Amino acid sequence: MSLYVILMGIQGAGKGLQAKRIEEHFGIPQVSTGDLFRAMRARTDELARKVQHIMASGQLVDDDTTNAIVVDRLSQADAQRGVILDGYPRNQIQAAFLESHLAEMGAHVGAVLLLELDLFTAFKRAFGRVSAADGSSYNYYYNAQGVHFSWAQDPAGNFPPRLEATVVGSGEPLKRRPDDASADAVIKRIETYLETTQPLISYFETRGIVHRINADQSIDAVSADIKRVLARL
Ligand code: AMP
């Protein structure tokens, strides 16, 4: 039977990382709408440019575009045994759409894993994160060893200044996700989560499928909690 799991949690709760681990352990792919939208960066058509603009401001992409991209992804060959949804659904319309789409396929949402994290930690995890070309990641607040961080004046003179990072020794500049680089955009995403995504928790709770997991633990401890929940399904 196919397994459809929703990973929910505020930005910085570690959804992407944990989704990768579930993918490896249970053999079902991670479907991240954020990643699907980021992959559009290589395109220059009007839809792709609109999506980039929305993402940079920390707002949500419209539901029709988002639902369509998910339907397309779920129809692909590697998704036939189920998927781990990361960053979707993000509001009531998307949740209702997903449930009816899965019902048409003769499937249902097996579990909602809610990664719980306090708001200030969530802010620091997103705003402080930088990554190297080889995929290793660092954080200004939590994991700054071997990295030189500096605050640079925003080119447009906006407040707050920009956080820049380079590897000590090689001088390799480290990258930040454009939507993490602006404190305003990070805060906007937190607000959007509280206003539109958090209410989904009670929606799924009425179906008895929400499992709460403490995301303020080591990556391995969170993975172990998730495996325990999924093994019971
Ligand atoms: P994420 O990587 O999940 O934080 O997503 C990055 C950005 O992509 C979000 O801030 C939104 O602009 C957009 N996005 C991702 N998933 C969705 C979704 N389910 N609905 C609408 N917009 C989304």
Side-chain angles (χ1 to χ4, degrees):
M1 212 185 98
S2 307
L3 179 60
Y4 292 89
V5 175
I6 296 175
L7 258 185
M8 269 186 76
I10 200 155
Q11 57 173 351
K15 295 188 296 293
L17 213 132
Q18 295 298 338
K20 283 264 173 293
R21 292 207 167 184
I22 305 172
E23 179 174 279
E24 280 160 23
H25 192 77
F26 292 91
I28 53 173
Q30 167 198 27
V31 170
S32 154
T33 39
D35 284 351
L36 293 172
F37 288 138
R38 273 184 286 279
M40 285 184 168
R41 246 185 232 146
R43 293 173 19 187
T44 52
D45 56 284
E46 197 182 331
L47 175 65
R49 275 189 281 124
K50 188 180 99 183
V51 165
Q52 293 316 312
H53 178 74
I54 294 172
M55 287 176 79
S57 69
Q59 320 245 344
L60 292 182
V61 177
D62 67 275
D63 294 325
D64 287 346
T65 304
T66 308
N67 291 336
I69 210 170
V70 171
V71 167
D72 177 61
R73 184 66 188 87
L74 294 187
S75 72
Q76 289 168 19
D78 66 328
Q80 299 316 302
R81 289 184 48 241
V83 297
I84 308 136
L85 289 161
D86 162 12
Y88 178 90
R90 266 215 187 32
N91 62 32
Q92 204 90 31
I93 293 171
Q94 294 179 6
F97 178 87
L98 174 70
E99 286 196 309
S100 77
H101 181 69
L102 289 181
E104 275 171 26
M105 293 164 56
H108 63 275
V109 179
V112 175
L113 302 176
L114 175 60
L115 302 186
E116 296 189 297
L117 190 68
D118 71 275
L119 302 186
F120 188 41
T121 306
F123 175 85
K124 290 187 288 186
R125 284 193 184 178
F127 186 68
R129 71 183 154 192
V130 289
S131 60
D134 69 0
S136 44
S137 86
Y138 304 87
N139 189 293
Y140 175 74
Y141 300 98
Y142 300 110
N143 174 23
Q145 218 175 0
V147 177
H148 174 70
F149 282 98
S150 60
W151 294 95
Q153 176 72 40
D154 182 278
N158 295 327
F159 182 83
R162 301 174 59 79
L163 182 59
E164 293 186 346
T166 51
V167 177
V168 173
S170 74
E172 177 194 343
L174 295 168
K175 284 216 174 71
R176 302 177 74 200
R177 266 172 48 172
D179 53 344
D180 285 344
S182 148
D184 285 344
V186 175
I187 291 168
K188 179 71 202 159
R189 271 150 62 205
I190 292 178
E191 283 171 356
T192 306
Y193 177 83
L194 296 177
E195 278 163 24
T196 64
T197 309
Q198 191 153 273
L200 280 186
I201 298 164
S202 29
Y203 174 84
F204 284 121
E205 252 163 359
T206 60
R207 285 152 174 71
I209 53 172
V210 176
H211 303 267
R212 291 172 183 270
I213 287 158
N214 175 12
D216 197 4
Q217 318 179 66
S218 72
I219 294 166
D220 286 344
V222 175
S223 294
D225 285 356
I226 290 177
K227 274 184 203 158
R228 261 193 295 278
V229 169
L230 293 185
R232 275 189 260 127
L233 293 181

